[in-house]
Amino acid sequence: MNKYSYIETTVVDGIAIVELNRPEVLNAINHNMVLELVDAFRACDENDHVQAIVLTGKGRAFAAGADIGEMAEASPMDLELLDQFADWDQLMKTRKPVIGAINGLALGGGFELALICDMLFTTDKAQFGFPEVNLGVMPGAGGTQQLTKIIGKRKALEYIWTGDKISAEQALEWGIVNRVIAPELLMEETLKFARTVAKKPPLGVRLIKESVQKAEDYPLEEGMKLERKNFYLLFSSEDQKEGMHAFIEKRNPQFKGK
Ligand code: CO8
């Protein structure tokens, strides 16, 4: 039984499918939805039967942003006391692979939620954008930072200043998304990819994620130090022994996640 009100989760063959579930308001993200996402992602991280998370939205949008009704009358002090970005930060600490299946519009906080995914698969119907400027505000959950890291300052400013939408094709060309897929095949193809990753040794997948993430934040020397430590660390795993012995013995490895 689904224990959440604003999201829905199912686990199939080691993949957790997390769906934003407010289609009547284009999956507008309220604070409780963020709390539920934090809880669901943490539960996936702690569940040995889950190897990857696929995040998607129900209905015609992925998410049309933060819930404007919930925010409209907030004072700066309300926002400070609520400190909802601290919850948001938890999502970015998820250790298992998070793959977004972006089924439609991803705007504002919805685009920011997409950008916390490790990889993005989308359809040609999807569009991405930061319309906050038209509401008298600006992105607040990492949008100015994340988008700029991917597409550079000039293009980021153009789109965040105007609120114009980025098409799926453009998003593919600029490296915002990994693949553009026909709408009817989006989930099938995303799950297929997630299953491929799920078959790999989980510790390796986890430490690869950590190392690649740090490549964006650390100077090269620090990043390489971390990579090396993670490389050494994997030699303490049973899966390293199994992987290398299986190669030498010309058989398929049986990974255990230990
Ligand atoms: N908040 C609340 N309700 C919304 C939102 C939203 N962001 N977006 C759509 N809805 C509701 C509409 O009010 C409407 O409800 P109702 O049927 O009761 O009138 C329903 O969803 C369907 O929407 P529309 O009728 O408007 O559908 P259209 O196809 O005509 O238009 C649009 C789709 C273009 C997406 C339009 O709905 C729109 O412009 N939505 C607002 C987009 C926006 O400005 N997003 C940015 C919000 S601010 C933000 O995200 C700040 C992020 C800060 C971090 C947050 C961390 C959680």
Side-chain angles (χ1 to χ4, degrees):
M1 200 184 82
N2 189 45
K3 64 178 200 170
Y4 300 113
S5 303
Y6 302 106
I7 64 172
E8 213 171 282
T9 60
T10 25
V11 178
V12 184
D13 298 336
I15 313 297
I17 302 171
V18 178
E19 290 178 288
L20 308 181
N21 188 17
R22 296 184 81 197
E24 67 288 356
V25 286
L26 307 184
N27 296 322
I29 304 167
N30 58 16
H31 187 215
N32 283 330
M33 185 193 277
V34 175
L35 292 177
E36 291 187 357
L37 284 169
V38 170
D39 187 72
F41 280 27
R42 187 177 298 134
C44 290
D45 255 352
E46 289 168 1
N47 184 345
D48 289 343
H49 300 295
V50 170
Q51 306 305 340
I53 301 165
V54 169
L55 178 64
T56 192
K58 274 194 195 286
R60 66 185 167 104
F62 173 69
D67 188 325
I68 297 172
E70 193 179 67
M71 274 185 312
E73 301 309 324
S75 72
M77 199 47 75
D78 293 336
L79 296 175
E80 170 66 24
L81 291 173
L82 184 63
D83 194 17
Q84 61 172 321
F85 296 120
D87 300 314
W88 190 269
D89 291 345
Q90 295 304 313
L91 294 176
M92 298 175 64
K93 293 184 185 148
T94 308
R95 292 184 304 248
K96 291 191 177 156
V98 182
I99 303 162
I102 309 301
N103 52 301
L105 281 174
L107 300 179
F111 191 7
E112 286 166 321
L113 186 59
L115 287 173
I116 67 148
C117 296
D118 301 311
M119 291 181 54
L120 291 177
F121 288 7
T122 190
T123 78
D124 52 6
K125 302 267 182 299
Q127 289 183 306
F128 303 83
F130 286 119
E132 285 92 334
V133 70
N134 300 320
L135 300 169
V137 289
M138 59 180 281
T144 60
Q145 307 303 297
Q146 303 263 39
L147 186 65
T148 305
K149 282 187 184 194
I150 302 170
I151 69 174
K153 172 183 151 186
R154 289 168 215 287
K155 287 202 284 273
L157 277 174
E158 180 182 337
Y159 282 88
I160 302 173
W161 268 342
T162 60
D164 285 352
K165 297 187 188 78
I166 301 171
S167 68
E169 287 73 19
Q170 193 66 84
L172 181 66
E173 192 185 321
W174 288 343
I176 298 170
V177 303
N178 292 76
R179 286 183 206 172
V180 178
I181 295 164
E184 63 279 13
L185 295 176
L186 178 67
M187 277 313 277
E188 192 181 320
E189 291 292 314
T190 311
L191 288 170
K192 195 168 144 195
F193 180 84
R195 278 193 286 270
T196 302
V197 178
K199 285 194 197 111
K200 307 292 177 194
L203 290 166
V205 168
R206 172 172 159 170
L207 295 185
I208 289 168
K209 172 166 171 168
E210 184 191 41
S211 304
V212 172
Q213 269 179 337
K214 295 298 182 206
E216 292 196 320
D217 306 326
Y218 282 11
L220 182 63
E221 200 179 330
E222 293 307 306
M224 292 197 51
K225 262 190 216 158
L226 174 78
E227 181 192 79
R228 224 158 278 163
K229 291 222 163 93
N230 281 344
F231 177 76
Y232 297 151
L233 186 57
L234 287 172
F235 281 76
S236 66
S237 70
E238 288 179 25
D239 283 349
Q240 175 267 327
K241 301 285 175 288
E242 169 64 8
M244 293 195 177
H245 289 162
F247 175 82
I248 292 162
E249 292 158 17
K250 300 191 187 307
R251 60 175 173 82
N252 288 326
Q254 301 292 322
F255 295 121
K256 293 188 187 138
K258 291 188 203 165

PDB file of all heavy atoms in Angstrom, residues 62-93:
ATOM      1  N   PHE A  62       6.071  16.734 -15.723  1.00  0.00           N
ATOM      2  CA  PHE A  62       6.945  16.160 -14.681  1.00  0.00           C
ATOM      3  C   PHE A  62       6.657  16.950 -13.407  1.00  0.00           C
ATOM      4  O   PHE A  62       6.176  16.400 -12.427  1.00  0.00           O
ATOM      5  CB  PHE A  62       8.419  16.274 -15.091  1.00  0.00           C
ATOM      6  CG  PHE A  62       9.362  15.867 -13.993  1.00  0.00           C
ATOM      7  CD1 PHE A  62       9.449  14.540 -13.590  1.00  0.00           C
ATOM      8  CD2 PHE A  62      10.159  16.801 -13.349  1.00  0.00           C
ATOM      9  CE1 PHE A  62      10.311  14.152 -12.562  1.00  0.00           C
ATOM     10  CE2 PHE A  62      11.024  16.427 -12.330  1.00  0.00           C
ATOM     11  CZ  PHE A  62      11.088  15.092 -11.937  1.00  0.00           C
ATOM     12  N   ALA A  63       6.885  18.260 -13.429  1.00  0.00           N
ATOM     13  CA  ALA A  63       6.481  19.133 -12.311  1.00  0.00           C
ATOM     14  C   ALA A  63       6.578  20.585 -12.780  1.00  0.00           C
ATOM     15  O   ALA A  63       7.605  20.997 -13.313  1.00  0.00           O
ATOM     16  CB  ALA A  63       7.354  18.913 -11.093  1.00  0.00           C
ATOM     17  N   ALA A  64       5.472  21.331 -12.551  1.00  0.00           N
ATOM     18  CA  ALA A  64       5.423  22.729 -13.015  1.00  0.00           C
ATOM     19  C   ALA A  64       5.967  23.688 -11.967  1.00  0.00           C
ATOM     20  O   ALA A  64       5.599  24.859 -11.946  1.00  0.00           O
ATOM     21  CB  ALA A  64       3.996  23.103 -13.401  1.00  0.00           C
ATOM     22  N   GLY A  65       6.814  23.180 -11.075  1.00  0.00           N
ATOM     23  CA  GLY A  65       7.480  24.072 -10.130  1.00  0.00           C
ATOM     24  C   GLY A  65       6.981  23.932  -8.719  1.00  0.00           C
ATOM     25  O   GLY A  65       6.143  23.077  -8.416  1.00  0.00           O
ATOM     26  N   ALA A  66       7.524  24.789  -7.854  1.00  0.00           N
ATOM     27  CA  ALA A  66       7.054  24.809  -6.474  1.00  0.00           C
ATOM     28  C   ALA A  66       5.594  25.240  -6.475  1.00  0.00           C
ATOM     29  O   ALA A  66       5.135  25.938  -7.390  1.00  0.00           O
ATOM     30  CB  ALA A  66       7.898  25.778  -5.663  1.00  0.00           C
ATOM     31  N   ASP A  67       4.861  24.827  -5.436  1.00  0.00           N
ATOM     32  CA  ASP A  67       3.438  25.159  -5.323  1.00  0.00           C
ATOM     33  C   ASP A  67       3.306  26.649  -5.034  1.00  0.00           C
ATOM     34  O   ASP A  67       3.604  27.109  -3.920  1.00  0.00           O
ATOM     35  CB  ASP A  67       2.825  24.312  -4.204  1.00  0.00           C
ATOM     36  CG  ASP A  67       1.308  24.454  -4.153  1.00  0.00           C
ATOM     37  OD1 ASP A  67       0.807  25.571  -4.423  1.00  0.00           O
ATOM     38  OD2 ASP A  67       0.644  23.454  -3.836  1.00  0.00           O
ATOM     39  N   ILE A  68       2.844  27.392  -6.042  1.00  0.00           N
ATOM     40  CA  ILE A  68       2.814  28.855  -5.928  1.00  0.00           C
ATOM     41  C   ILE A  68       1.826  29.282  -4.835  1.00  0.00           C
ATOM     42  O   ILE A  68       2.084  30.211  -4.067  1.00  0.00           O
ATOM     43  CB  ILE A  68       2.465  29.501  -7.288  1.00  0.00           C
ATOM     44  CG1 ILE A  68       3.567  29.155  -8.310  1.00  0.00           C
ATOM     45  CG2 ILE A  68       2.324  31.019  -7.166  1.00  0.00           C
ATOM     46  CD1 ILE A  68       3.266  29.549  -9.746  1.00  0.00           C
ATOM     47  N   GLY A  69       0.710  28.552  -4.735  1.00  0.00           N
ATOM     48  CA  GLY A  69      -0.281  28.876  -3.705  1.00  0.00           C
ATOM     49  C   GLY A  69       0.310  28.785  -2.307  1.00  0.00           C
ATOM     50  O   GLY A  69       0.005  29.607  -1.427  1.00  0.00           O
ATOM     51  N   GLU A  70       1.160  27.813  -2.094  1.00  0.00           N
ATOM     52  CA  GLU A  70       1.754  27.602  -0.764  1.00  0.00           C
ATOM     53  C   GLU A  70       2.758  28.710  -0.417  1.00  0.00           C
ATOM     54  O   GLU A  70       2.966  29.026   0.748  1.00  0.00           O
ATOM     55  CB  GLU A  70       2.456  26.233  -0.746  1.00  0.00           C
ATOM     56  CG  GLU A  70       2.840  25.756   0.630  1.00  0.00           C
ATOM     57  CD  GLU A  70       3.503  24.376   0.590  1.00  0.00           C
ATOM     58  OE1 GLU A  70       4.630  24.258   0.055  1.00  0.00           O
ATOM     59  OE2 GLU A  70       2.891  23.422   1.084  1.00  0.00           O
ATOM     60  N   MET A  71       3.376  29.284  -1.480  1.00  0.00           N
ATOM     61  CA  MET A  71       4.465  30.246  -1.253  1.00  0.00           C
ATOM     62  C   MET A  71       4.023  31.698  -1.252  1.00  0.00           C
ATOM     63  O   MET A  71       4.721  32.563  -0.728  1.00  0.00           O
ATOM     64  CB  MET A  71       5.482  30.151  -2.415  1.00  0.00           C
ATOM     65  CG  MET A  71       6.545  29.142  -2.310  1.00  0.00           C
ATOM     66  SD  MET A  71       7.693  29.301  -3.714  1.00  0.00           S
ATOM     67  CE  MET A  71       6.654  29.401  -5.140  1.00  0.00           C
ATOM     68  N   ALA A  72       2.862  31.949  -1.923  1.00  0.00           N
ATOM     69  CA  ALA A  72       2.540  33.329  -2.315  1.00  0.00           C
ATOM     70  C   ALA A  72       2.594  34.328  -1.159  1.00  0.00           C
ATOM     71  O   ALA A  72       3.067  35.445  -1.311  1.00  0.00           O
ATOM     72  CB  ALA A  72       1.174  33.365  -2.987  1.00  0.00           C
ATOM     73  N   GLU A  73       2.121  33.923   0.019  1.00  0.00           N
ATOM     74  CA  GLU A  73       2.030  34.877   1.129  1.00  0.00           C
ATOM     75  C   GLU A  73       3.181  34.735   2.131  1.00  0.00           C
ATOM     76  O   GLU A  73       3.148  35.334   3.209  1.00  0.00           O
ATOM     77  CB  GLU A  73       0.686  34.709   1.858  1.00  0.00           C
ATOM     78  CG  GLU A  73      -0.557  34.908   0.979  1.00  0.00           C
ATOM     79  CD  GLU A  73      -0.527  36.219   0.186  1.00  0.00           C
ATOM     80  OE1 GLU A  73      -0.016  37.238   0.710  1.00  0.00           O
ATOM     81  OE2 GLU A  73      -0.995  36.217  -0.973  1.00  0.00           O
ATOM     82  N   ALA A  74       4.188  33.930   1.792  1.00  0.00           N
ATOM     83  CA  ALA A  74       5.269  33.674   2.758  1.00  0.00           C
ATOM     84  C   ALA A  74       6.096  34.930   2.996  1.00  0.00           C
ATOM     85  O   ALA A  74       6.321  35.725   2.089  1.00  0.00           O
ATOM     86  CB  ALA A  74       6.162  32.550   2.247  1.00  0.00           C
ATOM     87  N   SER A  75       6.558  35.100   4.231  1.00  0.00           N
ATOM     88  CA  SER A  75       7.494  36.192   4.536  1.00  0.00           C
ATOM     89  C   SER A  75       8.900  35.590   4.528  1.00  0.00           C
ATOM     90  O   SER A  75       9.053  34.366   4.646  1.00  0.00           O
ATOM     91  CB  SER A  75       7.189  36.767   5.921  1.00  0.00           C
ATOM     92  OG  SER A  75       7.588  35.828   6.913  1.00  0.00           O
ATOM     93  N   PRO A  76       9.925  36.439   4.406  1.00  0.00           N
ATOM     94  CA  PRO A  76      11.291  35.894   4.458  1.00  0.00           C
ATOM     95  C   PRO A  76      11.515  35.084   5.732  1.00  0.00           C
ATOM     96  O   PRO A  76      12.177  34.043   5.714  1.00  0.00           O
ATOM     97  CB  PRO A  76      12.177  37.147   4.438  1.00  0.00           C
ATOM     98  CG  PRO A  76      11.339  38.211   3.822  1.00  0.00           C
ATOM     99  CD  PRO A  76       9.918  37.896   4.173  1.00  0.00           C
ATOM    100  N   MET A  77      10.939  35.542   6.864  1.00  0.00           N
ATOM    101  CA  MET A  77      11.147  34.828   8.124  1.00  0.00           C
ATOM    102  C   MET A  77      10.445  33.467   8.102  1.00  0.00           C
ATOM    103  O   MET A  77      10.993  32.485   8.613  1.00  0.00           O
ATOM    104  CB  MET A  77      10.647  35.694   9.291  1.00  0.00           C
ATOM    105  CG  MET A  77      11.201  35.281  10.625  1.00  0.00           C
ATOM    106  SD  MET A  77      13.000  35.011  10.629  1.00  0.00           S
ATOM    107  CE  MET A  77      13.609  36.679  10.603  1.00  0.00           C
ATOM    108  N   ASP A  78       9.243  33.409   7.489  1.00  0.00           N
ATOM    109  CA  ASP A  78       8.579  32.094   7.336  1.00  0.00           C
ATOM    110  C   ASP A  78       9.512  31.131   6.609  1.00  0.00           C
ATOM    111  O   ASP A  78       9.685  29.972   7.005  1.00  0.00           O
ATOM    112  CB  ASP A  78       7.310  32.204   6.473  1.00  0.00           C
ATOM    113  CG  ASP A  78       6.210  33.016   7.129  1.00  0.00           C
ATOM    114  OD1 ASP A  78       6.209  33.102   8.367  1.00  0.00           O
ATOM    115  OD2 ASP A  78       5.364  33.569   6.385  1.00  0.00           O
ATOM    116  N   LEU A  79      10.122  31.644   5.532  1.00  0.00           N
ATOM    117  CA  LEU A  79      10.981  30.778   4.700  1.00  0.00           C
ATOM    118  C   LEU A  79      12.234  30.366   5.472  1.00  0.00           C
ATOM    119  O   LEU A  79      12.661  29.206   5.415  1.00  0.00           O
ATOM    120  CB  LEU A  79      11.371  31.498   3.398  1.00  0.00           C
ATOM    121  CG  LEU A  79      10.194  31.823   2.467  1.00  0.00           C
ATOM    122  CD1 LEU A  79      10.670  32.630   1.264  1.00  0.00           C
ATOM    123  CD2 LEU A  79       9.497  30.555   1.995  1.00  0.00           C
ATOM    124  N   GLU A  80      12.795  31.316   6.216  1.00  0.00           N
ATOM    125  CA  GLU A  80      13.990  31.014   7.014  1.00  0.00           C
ATOM    126  C   GLU A  80      13.667  29.941   8.059  1.00  0.00           C
ATOM    127  O   GLU A  80      14.410  28.979   8.239  1.00  0.00           O
ATOM    128  CB  GLU A  80      14.498  32.311   7.681  1.00  0.00           C
ATOM    129  CG  GLU A  80      15.575  32.148   8.731  1.00  0.00           C
ATOM    130  CD  GLU A  80      16.901  31.621   8.175  1.00  0.00           C
ATOM    131  OE1 GLU A  80      17.156  31.795   6.970  1.00  0.00           O
ATOM    132  OE2 GLU A  80      17.667  31.023   8.968  1.00  0.00           O
ATOM    133  N   LEU A  81      12.529  30.116   8.747  1.00  0.00           N
ATOM    134  CA  LEU A  81      12.187  29.164   9.811  1.00  0.00           C
ATOM    135  C   LEU A  81      11.833  27.794   9.230  1.00  0.00           C
ATOM    136  O   LEU A  81      12.173  26.762   9.796  1.00  0.00           O
ATOM    137  CB  LEU A  81      11.036  29.709  10.659  1.00  0.00           C
ATOM    138  CG  LEU A  81      11.413  30.932  11.511  1.00  0.00           C
ATOM    139  CD1 LEU A  81      10.191  31.530  12.187  1.00  0.00           C
ATOM    140  CD2 LEU A  81      12.468  30.578  12.554  1.00  0.00           C
ATOM    141  N   LEU A  82      11.153  27.816   8.093  1.00  0.00           N
ATOM    142  CA  LEU A  82      10.772  26.551   7.458  1.00  0.00           C
ATOM    143  C   LEU A  82      12.018  25.811   6.968  1.00  0.00           C
ATOM    144  O   LEU A  82      12.112  24.589   7.066  1.00  0.00           O
ATOM    145  CB  LEU A  82       9.822  26.844   6.282  1.00  0.00           C
ATOM    146  CG  LEU A  82       9.221  25.658   5.542  1.00  0.00           C
ATOM    147  CD1 LEU A  82       8.335  24.852   6.483  1.00  0.00           C
ATOM    148  CD2 LEU A  82       8.413  26.136   4.334  1.00  0.00           C
ATOM    149  N   ASP A  83      12.977  26.585   6.449  1.00  0.00           N
ATOM    150  CA  ASP A  83      14.264  26.047   5.989  1.00  0.00           C
ATOM    151  C   ASP A  83      14.086  24.816   5.108  1.00  0.00           C
ATOM    152  O   ASP A  83      14.731  23.791   5.309  1.00  0.00           O
ATOM    153  CB  ASP A  83      15.148  25.711   7.220  1.00  0.00           C
ATOM    154  CG  ASP A  83      16.606  25.485   6.812  1.00  0.00           C
ATOM    155  OD1 ASP A  83      16.978  25.894   5.692  1.00  0.00           O
ATOM    156  OD2 ASP A  83      17.357  24.889   7.601  1.00  0.00           O
ATOM    157  N   GLN A  84      13.183  24.950   4.124  1.00  0.00           N
ATOM    158  CA  GLN A  84      12.865  23.752   3.343  1.00  0.00           C
ATOM    159  C   GLN A  84      14.007  23.313   2.442  1.00  0.00           C
ATOM    160  O   GLN A  84      14.046  22.168   1.996  1.00  0.00           O
ATOM    161  CB  GLN A  84      11.583  23.944   2.541  1.00  0.00           C
ATOM    162  CG  GLN A  84      11.617  25.051   1.537  1.00  0.00           C
ATOM    163  CD  GLN A  84      10.367  25.003   0.668  1.00  0.00           C
ATOM    164  OE1 GLN A  84       9.894  23.953   0.290  1.00  0.00           O
ATOM    165  NE2 GLN A  84       9.827  26.174   0.364  1.00  0.00           N
ATOM    166  N   PHE A  85      14.946  24.205   2.198  1.00  0.00           N
ATOM    167  CA  PHE A  85      16.055  23.781   1.337  1.00  0.00           C
ATOM    168  C   PHE A  85      16.973  22.791   2.048  1.00  0.00           C
ATOM    169  O   PHE A  85      17.706  22.051   1.407  1.00  0.00           O
ATOM    170  CB  PHE A  85      16.812  24.993   0.793  1.00  0.00           C
ATOM    171  CG  PHE A  85      15.936  25.832  -0.102  1.00  0.00           C
ATOM    172  CD1 PHE A  85      15.662  27.150   0.179  1.00  0.00           C
ATOM    173  CD2 PHE A  85      15.347  25.257  -1.223  1.00  0.00           C
ATOM    174  CE1 PHE A  85      14.826  27.889  -0.646  1.00  0.00           C
ATOM    175  CE2 PHE A  85      14.515  25.995  -2.058  1.00  0.00           C
ATOM    176  CZ  PHE A  85      14.253  27.316  -1.760  1.00  0.00           C
ATOM    177  N   ALA A  86      16.920  22.790   3.389  1.00  0.00           N
ATOM    178  CA  ALA A  86      17.684  21.774   4.126  1.00  0.00           C
ATOM    179  C   ALA A  86      17.132  20.386   3.787  1.00  0.00           C
ATOM    180  O   ALA A  86      17.890  19.418   3.659  1.00  0.00           O
ATOM    181  CB  ALA A  86      17.607  22.034   5.622  1.00  0.00           C
ATOM    182  N   ASP A  87      15.806  20.298   3.617  1.00  0.00           N
ATOM    183  CA  ASP A  87      15.216  19.010   3.210  1.00  0.00           C
ATOM    184  C   ASP A  87      15.642  18.690   1.784  1.00  0.00           C
ATOM    185  O   ASP A  87      15.990  17.557   1.461  1.00  0.00           O
ATOM    186  CB  ASP A  87      13.684  19.073   3.294  1.00  0.00           C
ATOM    187  CG  ASP A  87      13.219  19.386   4.698  1.00  0.00           C
ATOM    188  OD1 ASP A  87      13.745  18.758   5.628  1.00  0.00           O
ATOM    189  OD2 ASP A  87      12.379  20.290   4.872  1.00  0.00           O
ATOM    190  N   TRP A  88      15.573  19.715   0.942  1.00  0.00           N
ATOM    191  CA  TRP A  88      15.969  19.556  -0.460  1.00  0.00           C
ATOM    192  C   TRP A  88      17.399  19.001  -0.552  1.00  0.00           C
ATOM    193  O   TRP A  88      17.689  18.103  -1.352  1.00  0.00           O
ATOM    194  CB  TRP A  88      15.874  20.927  -1.129  1.00  0.00           C
ATOM    195  CG  TRP A  88      16.015  20.907  -2.610  1.00  0.00           C
ATOM    196  CD1 TRP A  88      17.157  21.048  -3.306  1.00  0.00           C
ATOM    197  CD2 TRP A  88      14.968  20.715  -3.567  1.00  0.00           C
ATOM    198  NE1 TRP A  88      16.900  20.976  -4.644  1.00  0.00           N
ATOM    199  CE2 TRP A  88      15.565  20.776  -4.834  1.00  0.00           C
ATOM    200  CE3 TRP A  88      13.577  20.507  -3.474  1.00  0.00           C
ATOM    201  CZ2 TRP A  88      14.833  20.643  -6.005  1.00  0.00           C
ATOM    202  CZ3 TRP A  88      12.859  20.370  -4.641  1.00  0.00           C
ATOM    203  CH2 TRP A  88      13.463  20.439  -5.876  1.00  0.00           C
ATOM    204  N   ASP A  89      18.293  19.561   0.285  1.00  0.00           N
ATOM    205  CA  ASP A  89      19.702  19.125   0.266  1.00  0.00           C
ATOM    206  C   ASP A  89      19.825  17.627   0.529  1.00  0.00           C
ATOM    207  O   ASP A  89      20.741  16.975   0.030  1.00  0.00           O
ATOM    208  CB  ASP A  89      20.532  19.894   1.314  1.00  0.00           C
ATOM    209  CG  ASP A  89      20.700  21.362   0.942  1.00  0.00           C
ATOM    210  OD1 ASP A  89      20.442  21.709  -0.226  1.00  0.00           O
ATOM    211  OD2 ASP A  89      21.066  22.162   1.830  1.00  0.00           O
ATOM    212  N   GLN A  90      18.899  17.094   1.348  1.00  0.00           N
ATOM    213  CA  GLN A  90      18.948  15.655   1.646  1.00  0.00           C
ATOM    214  C   GLN A  90      18.798  14.826   0.371  1.00  0.00           C
ATOM    215  O   GLN A  90      19.402  13.764   0.225  1.00  0.00           O
ATOM    216  CB  GLN A  90      17.828  15.252   2.627  1.00  0.00           C
ATOM    217  CG  GLN A  90      17.941  15.862   4.005  1.00  0.00           C
ATOM    218  CD  GLN A  90      19.280  15.551   4.645  1.00  0.00           C
ATOM    219  OE1 GLN A  90      19.736  14.406   4.641  1.00  0.00           O
ATOM    220  NE2 GLN A  90      19.941  16.579   5.137  1.00  0.00           N
ATOM    221  N   LEU A  91      17.963  15.331  -0.548  1.00  0.00           N
ATOM    222  CA  LEU A  91      17.733  14.574  -1.791  1.00  0.00           C
ATOM    223  C   LEU A  91      19.034  14.411  -2.566  1.00  0.00           C
ATOM    224  O   LEU A  91      19.276  13.393  -3.206  1.00  0.00           O
ATOM    225  CB  LEU A  91      16.716  15.307  -2.681  1.00  0.00           C
ATOM    226  CG  LEU A  91      15.293  15.413  -2.148  1.00  0.00           C
ATOM    227  CD1 LEU A  91      14.439  16.240  -3.104  1.00  0.00           C
ATOM    228  CD2 LEU A  91      14.693  14.016  -1.985  1.00  0.00           C
ATOM    229  N   MET A  92      19.861  15.465  -2.484  1.00  0.00           N
ATOM    230  CA  MET A  92      21.117  15.436  -3.250  1.00  0.00           C
ATOM    231  C   MET A  92      22.142  14.491  -2.636  1.00  0.00           C
ATOM    232  O   MET A  92      23.167  14.225  -3.237  1.00  0.00           O
ATOM    233  CB  MET A  92      21.698  16.849  -3.340  1.00  0.00           C
ATOM    234  CG  MET A  92      20.749  17.776  -4.071  1.00  0.00           C
ATOM    235  SD  MET A  92      21.298  19.467  -4.076  1.00  0.00           S
ATOM    236  CE  MET A  92      22.795  19.337  -5.019  1.00  0.00           C
ATOM    237  N   LYS A  93      21.849  14.018  -1.412  1.00  0.00           N
ATOM    238  CA  LYS A  93      22.797  13.110  -0.763  1.00  0.00           C
ATOM    239  C   LYS A  93      22.487  11.642  -1.041  1.00  0.00           C
ATOM    240  O   LYS A  93      23.147  10.753  -0.494  1.00  0.00           O
ATOM    241  CB  LYS A  93      22.800  13.361   0.745  1.00  0.00           C
ATOM    242  CG  LYS A  93      23.373  14.730   1.078  1.00  0.00           C
ATOM    243  CD  LYS A  93      23.471  14.951   2.564  1.00  0.00           C
ATOM    244  CE  LYS A  93      23.936  16.371   2.840  1.00  0.00           C
ATOM    245  NZ  LYS A  93      23.386  16.912   4.076  1.00  0.00           N
TER     246      LYS A  93
END
